[in-house]
């Protein structure tokens, strides 16, 4: 197969770079981690995206997680169009947002109340403020390689885009604030115990991606999440599960339902907006009632609970509320990663993968990958060779080894077969130095 023609994308990318930093509105989209020109997307169709030059790709980015039903789902589009016909925003309460809040609180036993916001960043930032406000403590503990959006306190060792670009922290985050963020390696309870021994009385919360998805896909080892729950209880710190990626992606509800652990606060985003900007934070009633106007901790948003986003989220969640949906998604995702692993083995490429529900990660590393240091030890040039051949062969993966991939319910046998055929060529390229 000949490489895709990217003439229109190239010319758009040049124009874009004059008016938008790096030509993109979120850094990883610029392909700095892999090199080359990002295809500019013209439209989506179920499991595929089509770029402005007419190239069609099987899409495993899924808008970085939200599109669990695939692109242009007819029912989601219909609900959004209906909502739009009644008005796009009111800045006033609506019936649909109550329905969405009830549906989500029903799905998550640990969530009595929630507040809708517009992005995952806003959700984690607000949950952090609540944790600090409710405990009166300044410090937080996060894990190396976990990404929780770009709020100042959380941009420390943040995996994902900052890891792709090799940026350790970020200028603009005052040192006085960054100092309050304590870090530990993921899956390392001994390190968390030590951190609590040192800072315990000052720690407001532990925030964690219960299944890490911003350093590839790294599941928690048995006992890790249970240990965090125990330590937080022992030191009266709050446990925050950032399920912006895993919520309704790895199971109905999310990782906390899968693992049977109740965090004090949960952050959601991505899937709950069905491809439009909606996110949420929520948890125990006595915590959530400390938010204004019931309590003194302030948080607000002009477009929070936006009717179009709520309509897309409601329809998406309605469609996910049957157990067989996640069984199908999980089995398709497993067949994909197993197919990758077989082809890597045949090509003699050190490779390990993980998948949970509809998310997966690929590491050019013999494994096991338990934390960010392991993920960073993977063979990046091999990933880049693999990535470019996949793209040429019509498979659209995240342009970074530190991102999870996403399978949607629109992905079928045809897409799986095409992806694995491409992978045979791509692993051969990865093996060739
Ligand atoms: C994507 C993501 C965020 C940030 O969400 P945005 O909507 O991009 O602000 C936060 N936490 C996790 C775990 C994420 O995957």
């Amino acid at each position: 197969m000949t490489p895709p023609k990217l003439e229109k994308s190239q010319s758009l990318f040049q124009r874009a770079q004059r008016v938008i930093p790096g030509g993109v509105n979120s850094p990883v989209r610029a392909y700095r981690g892999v090199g080359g020109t990002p295809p500019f997307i013209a439209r989506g169709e179920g499991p595929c995206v089509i770029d402005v030059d007419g190239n069609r790709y099987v899409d495993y980015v899924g808008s970085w997680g939200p599109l669990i039903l695939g692109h242009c789902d007819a029912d989601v589009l219909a609900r959004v169009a209906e909502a739009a016909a009644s008005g796009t925003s009111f800045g006033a309460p609506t019936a649909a947002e109550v329905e969405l809040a009830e549906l989500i609180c029903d799905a998550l036993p640990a969530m009595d109340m929630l507040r809708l916001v517009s992005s995952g960043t806003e959700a984690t930032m607000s949950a952090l403020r609540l944790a600090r406000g409710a405990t009166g403590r300044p410090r937080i503990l996060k894990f190396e390689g976990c990404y929780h959006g770009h709020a100042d306190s959380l941009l420390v060792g943040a995996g994902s885009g900052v890891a792709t670009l090799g940026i350790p922290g970020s200028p603009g985050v005052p040192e006085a604030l960054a100092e309050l963020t304590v870090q530990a390696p993921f899956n390392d309870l001994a390190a968390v115990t030590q951190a609590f021994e040192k800072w315990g009385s000052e720690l407001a919360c532990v925030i964690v991606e219960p299944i890490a998805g911003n350093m590839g896909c790294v599941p928690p080892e048995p006992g890790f999440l249970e240990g965090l729950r125990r330590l937080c209880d022992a030191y009266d710190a709050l446990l925050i599960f950032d399920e912006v990626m895993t919520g309704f992606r790895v199971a109905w509800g999310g990782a906390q339902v899968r693992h049977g652990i109740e965090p004090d606060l949960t952050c959601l985003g991505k899937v709950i907006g069905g491809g439009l900007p909606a996110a949420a934070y929520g948890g125990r009633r006595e915590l959530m009632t400390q938010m204004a106007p019931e309590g003194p901790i302030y948080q607000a948003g002009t477009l929070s609970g936006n009717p179009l986003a709520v309509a897309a989220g409601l329809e998406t969640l309605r469609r996910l509320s049957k157990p067989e949906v996640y069984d199908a998604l999980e089995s398709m995702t497993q067949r994909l990663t197993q197919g990758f692993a077989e082809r890597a083995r045949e090509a003699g490429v050190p490779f390990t993968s993980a998948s949970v529900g509809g998310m997966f990660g690929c590491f050019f590393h013999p494994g096991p990958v338990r934390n960010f240091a392991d993920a960073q030890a993977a063979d990046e040039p091999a990933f880049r060779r693999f990535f470019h051949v996949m793209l040429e062969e019509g498979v659209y993966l995240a342009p970074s080894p530190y991102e999870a991939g996403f399978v949607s319910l629109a992905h079928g046998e045809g897409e799986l077969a095409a992806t694995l055929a491409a992978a045979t060529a791509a692993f051969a390229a990865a093996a060739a130095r």
Side-chain angles (χ1 to χ4, degrees):
M1 195 166 168
T2 51
K5 201 165 54 91
L6 289 173
E7 281 157 27
K8 288 184 181 155
S9 285
Q10 272 154 358
S11 114
L12 280 168
F13 197 35
Q14 302 231 306
R15 265 174 66 197
Q17 288 175 78
R18 280 196 287 274
V19 286
I20 305 172
V24 292
N25 285 312
S26 198
V28 179
R29 297 179 196 171
Y31 275 36
R32 294 278 170 97
V34 290
T37 301
F40 278 56
I41 303 302
R43 61 197 169 87
E45 232 179 72
C48 294
V49 286
I50 294 108
D51 72 16
V52 290
D53 288 290
N55 302 300
R56 172 183 284 267
Y57 309 91
V58 181
D59 179 19
Y60 292 99
V61 177
S63 187
W64 304 87
L67 296 181
I68 198 164
L69 302 180
H71 294 272
C72 297
D73 178 85
D75 295 326
V76 171
L77 292 187
R79 295 293 91 74
V80 171
E82 279 165 27
S86 303
T88 55
S89 181
F90 308 112
T94 63
E97 66 188 7
V98 183
E99 205 183 324
L100 183 59
E102 286 171 348
L103 188 60
I104 294 172
C105 287
D106 269 357
L108 294 161
M111 195 179 277
D112 301 323
M113 303 178 89
L114 65 75
R115 166 133 319 141
L116 292 175
V117 292
S118 300
S119 73
T121 292
E122 236 187 302
T124 54
M125 181 185 77
S126 308
L128 217 59
R129 182 177 306 136
L130 171 52
R132 283 171 160 154
T135 59
R137 296 175 177 184
R139 288 186 200 275
I140 64 159
L141 188 148
K142 79 175 281 293
F143 293 91
E144 292 158 9
C146 279
Y147 177 66
H148 304 293
H150 60 86
D152 285 347
S153 290
L154 293 166
L155 260 193
V156 179
S160 199
V162 283
T164 309
L165 300 172
I167 302 171
S170 176
V173 176
E175 208 173 300
L177 193 60
E179 268 171 17
L180 299 176
T181 301
V182 178
Q183 289 200 83
F186 193 72
N187 274 327
D188 189 343
L189 263 189
V192 182
T193 307
Q194 274 172 17
F196 267 106
E197 283 163 0
K198 184 156 180 206
W199 304 112
S201 62
E202 293 180 39
L203 279 175
C205 64
V206 170
I207 183 166
V208 67
E209 291 179 69
I211 298 164
N214 284 286
M215 45 174 146
C217 175
V218 182
E221 291 180 346
F224 177 62
L225 298 175
E226 291 80 355
L228 296 183
R229 180 68 276 176
R230 225 172 22 248
L231 281 165
C232 286
D233 289 342
Y235 287 88
D236 292 322
L238 301 181
L239 179 60
I240 305 178
F241 273 10
D242 178 355
E243 300 227 43
V244 170
M245 184 184 291
T246 53
F248 298 93
R249 165 58 65 182
V250 298
W252 176 247
Q256 59 195 269
V257 175
R258 225 181 137 102
H259 288 275
I261 294 176
E262 300 206 345
D264 300 294
L265 293 172
T266 299
C267 304
L268 297 168
K270 298 190 172 126
V271 171
I272 70 159
L276 275 84
Y281 67 99
R284 300 208 323 266
R285 188 170 308 279
E286 67 268 29
L287 290 172
M288 291 306 291
T289 49
Q290 298 188 41
M291 298 310 297
E294 285 213 49
I297 304 172
Y298 198 73
Q299 176 272 319
T302 300
L303 294 176
S304 293
N306 174 264
L308 308 194
V310 167
L314 263 179
E315 179 60 25
T316 299
L317 294 189
R318 275 197 203 107
R319 296 267 291 286
L320 295 173
S321 61
K322 314 172 200 90
E324 62 273 19
V325 163
Y326 286 96
D327 294 343
L329 195 62
E330 179 144 332
S331 106
M332 182 60 87
T333 312
Q334 274 173 4
R335 287 170 61 205
L336 178 73
T337 53
Q338 280 162 10
F340 281 166
E342 280 160 26
R343 281 156 186 78
R345 208 176 313 117
E346 283 158 17
V349 176
F351 181 82
T352 181
S353 62
S355 78
V356 189
M359 68 190 264
F360 66 92
C362 296
F363 299 101
F364 287 78
H365 182 294
V369 176
R370 308 174 53 234
N371 58 35
F372 189 44
D374 295 339
Q376 281 180 308
D379 183 349
E380 280 206 41
F383 170 79
R384 285 197 286 271
R385 292 190 293 272
F386 175 80
F387 170 85
H388 281 294
V389 174
M390 291 298 269
L391 192 69
E392 283 165 19
E393 300 282 329
V395 180
Y396 187 79
L397 297 169
S400 161
Y402 299 112
E403 304 288 350
F406 302 103
V407 173
S408 81
L409 289 165
H411 286 71
E413 295 300 327
E415 286 76 31
L416 180 67
T419 305
L420 292 180
T424 303
F427 280 114
R433 258 143 242 271

